Amino acid sequence: MSSAFLGMPPFPQAARRALADTQLRRNLAGATRTIRDKRAEVVRELPDWEELREAGRALKERTLRHLDHYLLQLEERVTAAGGQVHWARDAAEANRIVTRLVQETGEHEVVKVKSMTTQEIGLNEALGSAGITAYETDLAELIVQLGEDLPSHILVPAIHRNRAEIRDLFRREMAEAGEVGDEPAELAEAARRHLRRKFLRAKVGISGANFLVAETGTAVVVESEGNGRMCLTLPETLISVVGIEKVVPTWQDLEVYLQLLPRSSTGERMNPYTSTWTGIEDGDGPRSFHLVLLDAGRSDTLADPIGRQALNCIRCSACLNVCPVYERTGGHAYGSVYPGPIGAVLSPQLRGTGGAVDRSLPFASTLCGACYEVCPVKIDIPEVLVHLRARVVEETGERRRTPSPEALAMRAARWVFSSPARLAAAQRVAALGGRAVGSRGRVGRLPGPLAGWTDARDAPAPARESFRQWWKRTHR
Amino acid sequence: MNAARDEILARVRAALADVPEPERPADVPVARQYATGADAPAGVQETVSLFVERLADYGASVRTVSPAQTGTEVAKTLASWGAEQVLVPRRFPAPWSAHLPAAAVLGDEGPLSADDLDAVDAVVTTAAAAIAVTGTLVLDGGPGQGRRAATLVPDRHLCVLRAEQVVASVPEALSRLDPLGPLTFVSGPSATSDIELERVAGVHGPRTLEVLVVR
């Protein structure tokens, strides 16, 4: 992933640092509250929301279980429509392909549509080292790029900056900004003036895509500002870098995602602009279109039948906005372009669990389940988190050759949680134990093999009666 | 290049070892229990009113006009903008542009360069379809719509559509559209929520969007 995130500390350290930043916490609390309310309102408007979510999930399952079939169909249709398809095994290969394609045009500047995938592979840095300047044109990406900052949110990468900070940045870095004020409308106007000439003279545009339709070879970009339309329409050459998991089977299937995505993402019934294109079109838009299909850990993720569902993600960021952990730490603490709950399950799978950051991410959650409830494609994030925790702990144990106490506890927890009868039995035992050790309402350090677990944690003393026991007693 | 393709496909197939060999894509069940909106016919009063309300909600001005008024309403709107040069794409219905001063009308001949388009005051087009529940116009480059850049670079866009083009829902609209040509779905003027997640209108696309529904 992007080299900009290299050297980030594991989540617990990064989170501690972020929590000390009160300005950051205020900015995040304000922004996430706004978007949560907007989302809830427009989701309430659709009586068939749950049916749409289920269809969104099922379509992704169909696609992923037959991904090879759909990728081949997509390649054939894009090629038939005049586009060229390239395949990239990893970030470095994708960057080489895009750099070569830009060099073949003879240009030294490209305009870019906001794209998580190109962030992930560090495309701007790779182009830069080949002497090609990439201009980010999305307002939030522009704020991040001008401030030499890192993105902290999937939808709004500059969510950690408030209007006054952005005003100061624009006054400092943007010749066209002059003495711009801190009203969002004024700041948007300054960005318009700053990018206008770049759009009008651009010869090469680079984008990602929200969806690729296998049946027709159609690519889809969902956006708000019109910067996407500029980059997709005005240049002579268009290069789109897209993860292989972005395929959907048919044109009709978009009817599900074009309802789920805007409402979950910006809390709008529909985003201002959605562009779809199929290969190239005579007399309208670019004369050449290149689609770079990226693996970069996606096939590894696909190989895990539980972890695989993380590939359903349509990058709406609803899970970030409801997450109590994200709201307090912000996105940078996750050490990846994919922050929040989805990042905690996606990054360790795409990058592998070799590094300290990725081993810490599955633990960056309280497992409260709010992310699962809002997910428009029903990714069971808590399930994947627990699964990855077990994997991380087991891998660590393997390196030590004997299983750590944590690994044993995880294995036991998995065994207990996978059967309602075992769970009920364990809860009864815990309640009895709670009477013995929970004197001040907390279970502190325990003796023997359990010390490895309780050394780093306090646990509330188990309730005298489990919910299941209470239900049984009072609902007979 | 082909090595990368072959390797990725091989990795994908290996990753899907748990999928039984005889399973076909259609064997994975997809329940389409959601509403398709097909029960509400296009263009009825209720659908058009919802469209007007929803698009206005996003900061576009929308009004219904009678067929006889359309030409004068188009001219009046463009005059109110002080538009001296108006781009009128090929095959825009003649009666709708009949009241525009001939000197103001510009065709996309040549075609116009990006800078030329930037110098145009406004563009007037038709549309391919509209979606009531989301307040969305869809442009497909058909008669009277021009290429995509024509409705993007000029700062003001006036769109004229017929009431029967307004469908209730997203599924209905997609079933009417041809994905093989480029499509643009427009829901209000260009906007951003990138600063403190507050929506403000007016970034790179047309900052003024006005819609006339003819019925």
Side-chain angles (χ1 to χ4, degrees):
Chain A
M1 285 208 200
S2 172
S3 53
F5 278 101
L6 284 181
M8 289 287 285
F11 185 82
Q13 279 109 288
R16 218 163 281 142
R17 195 182 304 165
L19 285 170
D21 185 341
T22 49
Q23 178 69 64
L24 173 74
R25 292 184 63 178
R26 244 198 315 274
N27 294 354
L28 279 170
T32 52
R33 191 179 318 113
T34 307
I35 196 74
R36 279 199 301 267
D37 294 349
K38 280 170 72 179
R39 177 200 165 273
E41 202 173 304
V42 294
V43 164
R44 238 187 334 260
E45 276 181 17
L46 289 191
D48 57 342
W49 184 252
E50 284 308 315
E51 287 77 11
L52 284 166
R53 280 181 81 209
E54 174 51 27
R57 184 206 62 77
L59 284 166
K60 285 286 180 178
E61 186 180 4
R62 174 181 286 179
T63 312
L64 291 176
R65 286 175 75 88
H66 297 278
L67 190 57
D68 52 333
H69 162 79
Y70 288 119
L71 286 171
L72 287 172
Q73 190 183 18
L74 175 77
E75 178 187 48
E76 186 208 316
R77 299 298 145 85
V78 170
T79 309
Q84 286 183 58
V85 178
H86 311 261
W87 301 72
R89 281 166 282 205
D90 52 30
E93 189 165 33
N95 288 334
R96 275 199 304 276
I97 293 169
V98 176
T99 304
R100 176 176 53 78
L101 291 171
V102 176
Q103 282 167 340
E104 281 171 7
T105 66
E107 294 294 320
H108 298 281
E109 284 182 4
V110 300
V111 285
K112 277 189 70 202
V113 190
K114 174 173 159 28
S115 139
M116 295 304 300
T117 309
T118 60
Q119 284 269 9
E120 177 191 325
I121 62 175
L123 179 63
N124 292 3
E125 294 84 349
L127 288 173
S129 60
I132 298 161
T133 308
Y135 292 104
E136 291 292 350
T137 63
D138 169 77
L139 180 53
E141 291 283 5
L142 179 67
I143 294 165
V144 168
Q145 193 179 39
L146 287 175
E148 295 178 7
D149 202 349
L150 292 172
S152 70
H153 189 277
I154 291 175
L155 169 72
V156 194
I159 195 170
H160 55 290
R161 297 273 172 235
N162 66 20
R163 59 185 71 189
E165 295 171 279
I166 296 165
R167 174 202 60 202
D168 294 345
L169 176 70
F170 277 19
R171 285 183 178 179
R172 199 167 61 235
E173 300 292 334
M174 208 185 257
E176 299 85 346
E179 284 301 294
V180 67
D182 67 358
E183 276 305 307
E186 275 184 78
L187 294 165
E189 163 78 28
R192 179 184 167 100
R193 284 199 305 271
H194 176 69
L195 288 170
R196 197 76 184 169
R197 302 308 312 163
K198 293 191 173 70
F199 285 135
L200 297 181
R201 66 164 190 246
K203 296 280 184 275
V204 182
I206 295 181
S207 80
N210 295 90
F211 307 100
L212 295 170
V213 182
E215 172 193 47
T216 56
T218 306
V220 182
V221 164
V222 171
E223 53 129 356
S224 295
E225 297 168 14
N227 64 309
R229 294 180 67 194
M230 291 280 181
C231 297
L232 300 171
T233 312
L234 294 181
E236 289 165 7
T237 301
L238 172 61
I239 305 167
S240 302
V241 185
V242 190
I244 52 174
E245 83 284 18
K246 288 299 169 73
V247 185
V248 298
T250 69
W251 174 252
Q252 190 201 350
D253 300 336
L254 287 179
E255 71 188 20
V256 175
Y257 298 109
L258 290 184
Q259 296 192 72
L260 289 171
L261 180 54
R263 288 178 200 255
S264 300
S265 187
T266 50
E268 294 166 308
R269 298 182 188 104
M270 191 64 98
N271 49 290
Y273 299 130
T274 297
S275 298
T276 76
W277 73 97
T278 306
I280 51 172
E281 177 78 7
D282 266 347
D284 188 346
R287 289 199 293 256
S288 64
F289 168 54
H290 298 274
L291 175 63
V292 182
L293 292 173
L294 176 75
D295 182 345
R298 283 148 179 86
S299 57
D300 292 338
T301 308
L302 191 65
D304 182 334
I306 294 175
R308 173 185 294 167
Q309 56 184 309
L311 298 175
N312 290 5
C313 178
I314 56 174
R315 310 284 190 265
C316 73
S317 64
C319 63
L320 279 59
N321 303 328
V322 299
C323 177
V325 177
Y326 177 87
E327 187 184 335
R328 285 161 183 83
T329 64
H332 292 157
Y334 294 81
S336 157
V337 292
Y338 302 111
I342 187 62
V345 295
L346 203 51
S347 309
Q349 296 200 86
L350 291 179
R351 303 193 291 204
T353 43
V357 173
D358 291 300
R359 277 202 301 275
S360 72
L361 284 176
F363 298 89
S365 165
T366 63
L367 301 181
C368 77
C371 47
Y372 177 42
E373 262 169 56
V374 296
C375 178
V377 286
K378 291 172 93 168
I379 302 170
D380 191 341
I381 295 176
E383 182 193 26
V384 183
L385 283 168
V386 171
H387 173 72
L388 291 175
R389 285 179 185 189
R391 194 167 108 188
V392 166
V393 168
E394 260 161 38
E395 283 168 1
T396 312
E398 269 163 37
R399 267 193 296 277
R400 290 190 195 139
R401 273 192 299 206
T402 53
S404 65
E406 213 170 9
L408 289 174
M410 275 293 167
R411 219 172 285 163
R414 198 160 49 174
W415 181 77
V416 168
F417 282 115
S418 61
S419 144
R422 285 197 289 259
L423 177 59
Q427 281 172 328
R428 277 194 306 275
V429 172
L432 292 173
R435 241 165 272 169
V437 296
S439 55
R440 297 210 322 275
R442 314 293 296 174
V443 175
R445 194 173 183 281
L446 293 173
L450 288 172
W453 176 260
T454 49
D455 265 353
R457 300 169 181 79
D458 272 351
R464 293 282 156 117
E465 191 176 31
S466 75
F467 176 75
R468 284 158 175 278
Q469 287 167 332
W470 171 82
W471 184 268
K472 248 174 145 175
R473 182 165 61 77
T474 55
H475 289 75
R476 273 299 161 97
Chain B
M1 274 252 302
N2 273 340
R5 176 182 184 272
D6 295 346
E7 194 178 323
I8 292 171
L9 288 169
R11 284 186 200 166
V12 166
R13 287 178 185 132
L16 294 169
D18 63 309
V19 177
E21 168 53 33
E23 183 181 297
R24 293 290 160 260
D27 297 337
V28 183
V30 175
R32 294 186 195 266
Q33 302 292 319
Y34 52 84
T36 57
D39 40 338
V44 298
Q45 173 72 46
E46 199 189 330
T47 307
V48 173
S49 308
L50 183 63
F51 171 70
V52 169
E53 177 201 314
R54 291 283 160 93
L55 186 55
D57 207 19
Y58 285 151
S61 36
V62 202
R63 57 188 200 277
T64 50
V65 296
S66 72
Q69 292 172 309
T70 308
T72 50
E73 287 297 323
V74 166
K76 228 162 68 186
T77 305
L78 291 163
S80 76
W81 290 344
E84 287 170 15
Q85 278 211 308
V86 178
L87 180 63
V88 183
R90 222 167 290 149
R91 295 169 69 198
F92 185 80
W96 293 353
S97 59
H99 294 266
L100 292 176
V105 173
L106 197 71
D108 187 9
E109 315 305 334
L112 297 180
S113 70
D115 284 318
D116 293 340
L117 286 174
D118 197 34
V120 166
D121 298 310
V123 59
V124 55
T125 71
T126 61
I131 308 168
V133 75
T134 55
T136 304
L137 298 166
V138 191
L139 305 169
D140 70 355
Q145 294 173 47
R147 60 196 164 109
R148 286 173 288 171
T151 46
L152 172 64
V153 181
D155 202 12
R156 295 188 177 90
H157 181 194
L158 173 62
C159 183
V160 191
L161 56 108
R162 289 173 287 105
E164 59 269 27
Q165 292 182 297
V166 184
V167 300
S169 70
V170 175
E172 253 184 300
L174 289 187
S175 71
R176 286 183 170 211
L177 294 164
D178 176 7
L180 296 185
L183 302 175
T184 308
F185 296 67
V186 178
S187 308
S190 132
T192 183
S193 308
D194 279 356
I195 299 167
E196 299 176 12
L197 288 171
E198 189 181 294
R199 182 177 163 128
V200 293
V203 199
H204 305 293
R207 288 180 287 186
T208 303
L209 173 67
E210 194 152 333
V211 179
L212 303 179
V213 184
V214 184
R215 71 179 311 218

